[in-house]
């Protein structure tokens, strides 16, 4: 990958889009992971106002520390960067008490609450974006957004613009190194941070990002019969998750009404 060309292209793309939209810049959530680390750096490089928000919800201390280490590093390098923390744990606890049902009757409740965390963060970003005249900048990569749909609909998927959605996770790590992100961000184990117990992306998905990328790059050109061993296992994981994520990947269906019925 021609790393510097990719970096320059994304930075200019972000700058052009903000100027055409008539906004001051971007707001984004910083989780302590490599995706938000790369995107926040690219946004900062535009020279436009860049508001970084860390939004803990029952968060692990190491995730909070990584987020602030990165944000402080960016603030020291870019005068256009502002950083803040919005503790969403009290708001989530109120929702938890309001929504809580019996797990044995509703086995998907824990997943629903995980997604509620993500959606609460989306609301927060749009609030601060609107009062500051900023667009919400997404941090999803190509595998998550268009491969297996590993994101929350109207949560971290609720954004105005997606600068790295055409980059594979391994390519995001290449950018992180080229951008000289703090070491802890570059080496962070991918996790969505939406569960009380530690659940890495690999634990939830059952495959690594490099394994998934191999399948995604061959998607549509090979079938299940072309794979064996571990590749076959990952193909089945990718196929199952891709099929289940079509409601995220495709536009919202609209029921068309025949024009003659309007007369």
């Amino acid at each position: 990958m021609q790393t510097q060309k990719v970096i320059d292209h994304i930075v200019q793309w972000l700058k052009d889009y903000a100027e055409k939209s008539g906004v001051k810049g971007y707001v984004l959530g910083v989780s302590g992971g490599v995706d938000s680390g790369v995107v926040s750096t690219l946004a900062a490089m535009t020279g436009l106002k860049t508001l970084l928000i860390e939004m803990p919800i029952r968060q692990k201390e190491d995730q909070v520390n990584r987020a602030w280490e990165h944000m402080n590093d960016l603030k020291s390098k870019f005068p256009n960067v502002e950083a803040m923390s919005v503790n969403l744990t009290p708001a989530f606890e109120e929702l938890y008490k309001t929504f809580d049902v019996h797990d044995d009757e509703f086995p998907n409740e824990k997943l629903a609450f995980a997604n509620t965390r993500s959606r609460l963060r989306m609301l927060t970003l749009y609030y601060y974006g609107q009062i500051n005249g900023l667009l919400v900048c997404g941090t999803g990569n190509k595998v998550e957004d268009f491969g297996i749909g590993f994101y929350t609909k109207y949560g971290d998927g609720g954004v105005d613009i997606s600068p790295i959605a055409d980059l594979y996770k391994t390519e995001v790590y290449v950018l992180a190194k080229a951008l000289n992100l703090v070491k802890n961000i570059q080496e962070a184990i991918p996790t969505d941070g939406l569960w009380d117990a530690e659940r890495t992306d690999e634990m939830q998905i059952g495959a690594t990002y490099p394994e998934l990328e191999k399948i995604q790059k061959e998607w549509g050109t090979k079938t299940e019969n072309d794979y064996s061993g571990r590749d076959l296992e990952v193909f089945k994981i990718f196929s199952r998750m891709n099929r289940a994520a079509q409601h995220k990947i495709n536009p919202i269906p609209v029921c068309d009404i025949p024009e003659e019925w309007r007369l």
Side-chain angles (χ1 to χ4, degrees):
M1 184 171 65
Q2 299 181 56
T3 308
Q4 193 56 51
K5 285 188 177 181
V6 172
I7 291 172
D8 293 342
H9 176 72
I10 295 176
V11 170
Q12 190 60 50
W13 184 78
L14 283 168
K15 187 174 182 179
D16 291 345
Y17 193 87
E19 291 176 349
K20 289 177 183 176
S21 301
V23 298
K24 299 176 182 177
Y26 295 99
V27 59
L28 61 151
V30 174
S31 64
V34 69
D35 292 329
S36 65
V38 166
V39 174
S40 57
T41 304
L42 295 170
M45 291 171 67
T46 64
L48 302 173
K49 182 173 180 176
T50 302
L51 177 58
L52 311 181
I53 307 181
E54 186 255 336
M55 298 171 284
I57 302 176
R58 298 180 178 177
Q59 221 65 32
K60 302 293 185 295
E61 186 177 359
D62 64 321
Q63 296 173 9
V64 174
N65 291 342
R66 279 202 312 271
W68 271 105
E69 182 182 3
H70 169 69
M71 292 193 296
N72 285 330
D73 182 61
L74 279 190
K75 285 176 62 180
S76 71
K77 296 175 179 176
F78 299 95
N80 54 308
V81 169
E82 298 177 20
M84 62 185 295
S85 180
V86 179
N87 183 10
L88 296 178
T89 299
F92 177 75
E93 297 297 355
E94 287 300 315
L95 288 173
Y96 189 90
K97 288 188 291 184
T98 302
F99 293 163
D100 194 23
V101 295
H102 295 295
D103 290 1
D104 55 345
E105 294 181 41
F106 299 92
N108 283 329
E109 187 194 26
K110 285 185 173 59
L111 177 59
F113 271 130
N115 287 326
T116 297
R117 295 190 194 200
S118 184
R119 290 174 179 134
L120 187 53
R121 290 180 175 132
M122 180 273 291
L123 290 174
T124 304
L125 290 174
Y126 271 96
Y127 171 80
Y128 283 100
Q130 189 162 17
I131 65 174
N132 286 283
L134 307 171
L135 292 177
V136 175
C137 193
T139 62
N141 59 64
K142 192 168 187 174
V143 178
E144 293 170 343
D145 285 6
F146 302 112
I148 58 174
F150 192 64
Y151 65 89
T152 298
K153 196 173 185 179
Y154 304 119
D156 52 329
V159 299
D160 292 316
I161 190 169
S162 294
I164 63 167
D166 196 33
L167 290 175
Y168 290 105
K169 187 79 168 188
T170 51
E171 293 175 322
V172 176
Y173 276 107
V174 172
L175 291 193
K177 183 177 181 179
L179 292 167
N180 195 30
L181 268 59
V182 295
K183 187 176 181 182
N184 283 334
I185 295 291
Q186 292 192 48
E187 297 177 351
I189 297 173
T191 177
D192 58 18
L194 299 179
W195 306 84
D196 289 337
E198 185 67 37
R199 297 193 186 188
T200 66
D201 290 358
E202 184 175 349
M203 290 168 60
Q204 294 188 64
I205 298 168
T208 66
Y209 280 102
E211 288 176 326
L212 293 166
E213 289 174 19
K214 180 181 186 300
I215 301 302
Q216 187 169 359
K217 290 174 182 178
E218 298 170 346
W219 190 247
T221 64
K222 291 186 177 182
T223 67
E224 184 175 329
N225 295 330
D226 295 311
Y227 296 99
S228 62
R230 178 57 180 167
D231 284 346
L232 177 58
E233 293 177 5
V234 178
F235 176 87
K236 290 181 178 179
I237 292 171
F238 187 96
S239 180
R240 171 178 53 81
M241 296 187 73
N242 178 271
R243 184 168 56 251
Q246 289 303 304
H247 68 100
K248 299 180 183 180
I249 297 171
N250 293 319
I252 298 173
V254 174
C255 180
D256 292 326
I257 306 300
E259 282 301 319
E260 60 268 25
W261 293 0
R262 300 178 189 275
L263 301 177

